[in-house]
Amino acid sequence: MDLHALRLSHPFLILNNTNTNALSLRNTILGFNRRSRRWLKLEATNTNGAALDEAAFEAERLALDAEARSAMAQQGQASISDSNDPKAWKWIIRKRIWDSMEAHNFAQNPRPVHHRIPNFVGASSAADKMRSLDVFQAAQCVKVNPDSPQKQVRFLTLSDGKKLLTPQPRLRTGFFSILESNMLPPGTIKEACTSVGVAKHGRPIGLDEKIKVDVIVIGSVAVDPKTGARLGKGEGFAELEYGMLRYMGAIDDSTPVVTSVHDCQLVDDIPVEKLLIHDVPVDIICTPTQVIFTNTSIPKPQGIYWDKLSPEKLGQIRILRELKKRIERETGQKLPTGPSEKLPPTARRGQRG
């Protein structure tokens, strides 16, 4: 957009936020009217001159998520039915939690909660308990997953003047985006906590970004309060995000990992000895009624475990392909590849670049 072409009836301070999102969807042009003391949105276009179609963006996201959940449902059922599948026990626990949350009406929209990080009654209360943690209050930058039950955590992070680091859903279109309250127009913090809001207002970062993350907030389907063992929804993106942040030097073993769940998601039957090397344990659990320090002794992942990463998953996530090429170029050695797997349709359709 050519700012010189703007004709304004009142004096404005023009701010051009050229931080496009990972899809290069838009630039945000804001004007502050000095006389009325109000912010006005003058124009919002991408580098090709096309405005972000919020309805289309959200419709595509929901459609792709529905496809992914359908495929994960098939994978989970097949795993449970196969007595030789080493991942069957995880799916049995997940299904038990999802079924229980729906049966007892602990679930909140979006429903059904199956094959999601489940939203739950009291999620805001759990977020408030997280906000009271010393590690959260002292944090300057908090990485929060993009799922519904952690929406209030994202809101509190921005409201408290902290940097919010949040991933693109399923790392489908990019990597991470950074948001700060001082880069948002007044009254848009709630919007910035949604997928569309991140696309509109977030600043995407790359692997070379120099950033220190003080707290990681991670979504869970089930978590053991005695050991810190955790199960996600089964796609492995939280582990990949953690591994990439380790590669960037943004986190280390001392970075606290916190989750917020309903009390019914606390379990005691996750076998620690069956966890994989890339599974991320949690240090602190916040529920609507309590805060639990797990004092976990489970080792945290040290990076990306390429020998566990399938060619299909690698093909799904552009940032991982870039990272693999970079490491191979810098070391002069070819990295290993994990066994093949069947991925949801979303993974194939979501490829870009």
Side-chain angles (χ1 to χ4, degrees):
M1 180 178 181
D2 185 0
L3 292 180
H4 297 291
L6 284 173
R7 292 186 178 182
L8 305 172
S9 58
H10 298 285
F12 281 81
L13 170 65
I14 302 297
L15 296 182
N16 183 3
N17 174 14
T18 58
N19 299 319
T20 56
N21 74 338
L23 284 173
S24 297
L25 287 173
R26 63 179 285 158
N27 293 335
T28 303
I29 310 297
L30 299 172
F32 184 72
N33 188 319
R34 299 182 190 276
R35 294 180 185 173
S36 65
R37 310 300 298 174
R38 293 175 60 194
W39 287 88
L40 297 178
K41 188 179 296 183
L42 305 178
E43 191 63 58
T45 62
N46 68 4
T47 54
N48 297 320
L52 170 63
D53 187 332
E54 296 180 22
F57 180 94
E58 184 67 2
E60 180 188 27
R61 183 187 70 82
L62 292 174
L64 293 174
D65 285 354
E67 284 188 85
R69 289 196 309 277
S70 176
M72 293 302 290
Q74 296 176 32
Q75 179 180 333
Q77 186 56 50
S79 180
I80 291 174
S81 301
D82 184 356
S83 59
N84 295 319
D85 190 328
K87 297 181 180 180
W89 66 270
K90 289 186 175 182
W91 286 107
I92 291 171
I93 295 175
R94 290 182 183 116
K95 185 177 186 304
R96 186 184 77 217
I97 295 298
W98 287 324
D99 288 349
S100 176
M101 293 185 74
E102 288 290 349
H104 293 92
N105 215 30
F106 294 143
Q108 291 274 67
N109 287 328
R111 297 177 72 172
V113 293
H114 294 75
H115 306 288
R116 306 179 193 267
I117 296 297
N119 199 6
F120 57 90
V121 174
S124 292
S125 296
D128 289 338
K129 283 186 165 51
M130 191 181 298
R131 186 189 205 179
S132 70
L133 295 173
D134 290 342
V135 292
F136 188 90
Q137 292 184 10
Q140 297 182 34
C141 178
V142 183
K143 183 266 183 184
V144 187
N145 58 296
D147 301 285
S148 296
Q150 283 72 46
K151 183 177 180 180
Q152 181 68 6
V153 178
R154 298 192 293 276
F155 177 80
L156 294 176
T157 298
L158 290 172
S159 296
D160 289 352
K162 306 177 189 299
K163 287 184 181 179
L164 170 64
L165 182 68
T166 191
Q168 295 290 324
R170 291 187 170 88
L171 299 177
R172 186 165 50 228
T173 58
F175 188 31
F176 290 95
S177 292
I178 288 179
L179 297 99
E180 297 182 69
S181 58
N182 61 11
M183 64 190 277
L184 299 173
T188 61
I189 288 182
K190 285 188 176 180
E191 180 187 45
C193 299
T194 66
S195 295
V196 170
V198 172
K200 290 172 64 176
H201 304 296
R203 176 175 70 84
I205 66 171
L207 293 166
D208 294 320
E209 183 84 11
K210 301 302 180 184
I211 186 172
K212 180 180 182 296
V213 175
D214 300 301
V215 174
I216 289 181
V217 179
I218 192 169
S220 303
V221 173
V223 62
D224 188 328
K226 293 183 179 179
T227 66
R230 165 201 169 270
L231 295 182
K233 62 179 179 288
E235 292 184 302
F237 287 101
E239 288 75 18
L240 291 173
E241 293 160 10
Y242 187 94
M244 284 187 280
L245 289 173
R246 286 296 293 247
Y247 169 83
M248 294 170 64
I251 59 174
D252 56 29
D253 281 342
S254 67
T255 307
V257 178
V258 188
T259 194
S260 59
V261 295
H262 192 274
D263 291 87
C264 74
Q265 294 173 257
L266 301 177
V267 301
D268 61 3
D269 58 344
I270 298 178
V272 173
E273 69 278 5
K274 291 186 178 181
L275 294 177
L276 301 177
I277 192 171
H278 57 260
D279 287 327
V280 180
V282 299
D283 299 293
I284 307 173
I285 304 168
C286 297
T287 80
T289 66
Q290 58 186 319
V291 174
I292 303 169
F293 293 84
T294 68
N295 298 311
T296 184
S297 61
I298 301 171
K300 291 177 178 175
Q302 300 300 298
I304 300 290
Y305 295 93
W306 299 100
D307 59 335
K308 309 294 183 184
L309 191 61
S310 72
E312 292 81 7
K313 180 72 79 174
L314 187 65
Q316 171 185 355
I317 304 173
R318 175 175 52 81
I319 193 72
L320 275 180
R321 298 197 301 275
E322 293 176 359
L323 176 57
K324 187 171 188 284
K325 289 179 181 178
R326 172 185 292 193
I327 294 175
E328 290 178 336
R329 184 172 60 250
E330 292 176 351
T331 63
Q333 298 181 350
K334 187 173 179 60
L335 292 171
T337 302
S340 294
E341 64 176 327
K342 183 178 180 180
L343 288 178
T346 300
R348 294 191 293 272
R349 287 179 55 187
Q351 291 186 49
R352 285 180 171 86

